[in-house]
Amino acid sequence: MKLFIIATIALFLYIAIDLIFNQEMWDANTSLTLYLQQNQFPGEKDMFLVFSYSLFLLPSIAGIAFLVLDNKLGALLYGLMILFSAASNSFLKNLYHQARPYFIVQEIEPYECNKEFGKPSGHAMSSSAMCFLLPCILFPAIWKDQPNYKYPLYIRVIFIFIITFWTFMTGFSRVFMGVHSFGQIILGWVYQAYISIIYMMYIHDRIMTYLTECLQMGHKGISIRVIQIIGLIAFSWTCVAIIFLELNRYVFISPAEATLWMTAVYEKCENQTTLYTIDSPLVLQNICFSMSLYIWIMLSFVIGIKLSKGIYLENQFRYHYKSLSLWQKTLRIFILIILVALLIPFFLIEFNSVYAQAFGQIVPVSILGGLIITVVYSKILYYLKISVPGDFLQIIDNEQSAPDGMSFELQAKSS
């Protein structure tokens, strides 16, 4: 509790500093970005683009870990935390409703054309979440010796240096490309640091323990009360998000101001053929609102666990995975890829209303994504007879053998 109080005080202290010195940081950033863009060395733009675009590759680590590592529950929670970071960032952007530098400063050129609000930086939040939660959740021995594993000191130093350097360069790349001020970057790092600290110190272990216990043989699974609480959180989050959406549309952001910002997008961005308005679902408060609704995957995740009626034998997977043939291992990968690809058509639909996009695209994708991982994938592995002990939500029957040679039914009775 002491750490929670200290972290919360530090967060609010920096929020106050950010508000007080907002204009000074904005002016300093304008000078910095103009200097960087006007004094580029050969290949600098391409280098920063690599750091910026790498953000879209890092989530694949969660998928790879889910497919090949024992800690499948940890891999899924890591992926859910990345989505929570994205949803939180979009929620906060509508709270701050601050423009991006290239929206306002005529001389700043955008090397990447993001069209939503800029504060706090989504790249800053997501990159720091991905980099620092990766060792915390999937490779905890990087930070602290584990009972069954210990990394050499030089491995720890190299790993920590890489994730720190990558996080910094990802944030700095956004300043160079004119899409964020360094004030927006730092605020993103501060918010994500707070979320990550609170989650790892007070929430993660409890979730892991609770879900692991719920997924043992003979357990009744996740309680309805837990599902109701998470559903209430998702519903309340959506209601507050709607309030900020409407406030930005009709109170905080005027159509004239939005027109000036979207004119900058239209004139500066390559391949931009549409002059957006304040009501366009792909810009400003509208896209921020839609993205904030990825929070619904949390609800579909726990509902899917309840519906699957599977079990999770932690630390069993690696041993039994070796018994599969190369074809079976490859098939497991392709099945997951195909299932995830089924969500792509939702992103190909064009919506004319922000509410249609939010509830016709983001919410369905979130709900279906959670159910695919928890229900559909495990059932397909079961029916194709390529599931093994240690799979997340492995479906069993009375005839299957337990890892120690007993039937699952006998093992449950003996326990």
Side-chain angles (χ1 to χ4, degrees), residues 5 55 121 153 175 182-183 216 243 251 275 302 371:
I5 294 174
L55 183 72
S121 166
L153 178 60
V175 174
F182 64 73
Q216 299 305 302
I243 291 173
V251 179
L275 178 59
V302 293
L371 295 178

Coordinates of all heavy atoms in Angstrom, one line a residue, residues 5 55 121 153 175 182-183 216 243 251 275 302 371:
I5 N 0.7 4.5 -2.7 CA 0.5 5.9 -2.3 C 1.6 6.7 -2.9 O 1.3 7.8 -3.5 CB 0.5 6.0 -0.8 CG1 -0.8 5.3 -0.2 CG2 0.5 7.5 -0.4 CD1 -0.8 5.3 1.3
L55 N 6.6 -0.9 -33.3 CA 5.5 -1.0 -32.3 C 4.5 -2.0 -32.8 O 3.9 -2.7 -31.9 CB 4.9 0.4 -32.1 CG 3.8 0.5 -31.1 CD1 4.4 0.4 -29.7 CD2 3.0 1.7 -31.2
S121 N 1.2 10.3 -25.6 CA 1.6 9.5 -26.8 C 1.3 8.1 -26.7 O 1.6 7.4 -25.7 CB 3.1 9.7 -27.0 OG 3.6 8.7 -27.9
L153 N 24.4 -12.1 -15.0 CA 24.3 -10.7 -14.8 C 24.4 -10.0 -16.2 O 23.6 -9.0 -16.4 CB 25.3 -10.2 -13.9 CG 25.4 -8.7 -13.6 CD1 24.1 -8.2 -13.1 CD2 26.5 -8.3 -12.7
V175 N 8.9 12.5 -31.9 CA 9.2 13.9 -31.9 C 9.8 14.3 -33.3 O 9.4 15.3 -33.9 CB 10.2 14.2 -30.8 CG1 10.6 15.7 -30.8 CG2 9.5 14.0 -29.4
F182 N 7.6 16.4 -27.1 CA 8.2 15.6 -26.0 C 7.4 15.6 -24.7 O 7.5 14.7 -23.9 CB 9.7 15.9 -25.9 CG 10.0 17.3 -25.3 CD1 9.7 17.7 -24.0 CD2 10.5 18.3 -26.2 CE1 10.0 18.9 -23.5 CE2 10.8 19.6 -25.7 CZ 10.5 19.9 -24.4
G183 N 6.6 16.7 -24.6 CA 5.7 16.7 -23.4 C 4.7 15.6 -23.5 O 4.4 14.9 -22.5
Q216 N -8.2 -25.8 -12.7 CA -7.7 -27.1 -12.3 C -8.9 -28.1 -12.4 O -10.1 -27.7 -12.4 CB -7.2 -27.1 -10.9 CG -6.0 -26.2 -10.7 CD -4.8 -26.5 -11.6 OE1 -4.3 -27.6 -11.6 NE2 -4.4 -25.5 -12.4
I243 N -19.1 10.2 -22.7 CA -19.2 11.5 -22.2 C -18.1 12.4 -22.8 O -18.3 13.5 -23.2 CB -19.2 11.5 -20.7 CG1 -20.5 10.9 -20.1 CG2 -19.0 12.9 -20.1 CD1 -20.4 10.7 -18.6
V251 N -18.3 20.8 -27.2 CA -17.9 21.8 -26.2 C -16.5 22.2 -26.4 O -16.2 23.3 -26.6 CB -18.2 21.2 -24.8 CG1 -17.7 22.3 -23.7 CG2 -19.6 20.9 -24.5
L275 N -10.8 15.5 -47.2 CA -10.7 16.5 -46.2 C -11.7 16.1 -45.1 O -12.9 16.3 -45.3 CB -11.0 17.9 -46.8 CG -11.1 19.0 -45.8 CD1 -9.7 19.2 -45.1 CD2 -11.5 20.3 -46.5
V302 N -12.8 -13.5 -20.0 CA -13.3 -14.3 -18.8 C -14.5 -15.1 -19.2 O -14.7 -16.2 -18.7 CB -13.5 -13.4 -17.6 CG1 -12.2 -12.8 -17.1 CG2 -14.5 -12.3 -17.9
L371 N -13.1 -14.6 -27.5 CA -13.7 -15.9 -27.6 C -12.9 -16.9 -28.5 O -12.9 -18.1 -28.3 CB -15.1 -15.8 -28.2 CG -16.1 -15.0 -27.3 CD1 -17.5 -14.9 -27.9 CD2 -16.3 -15.7 -25.9

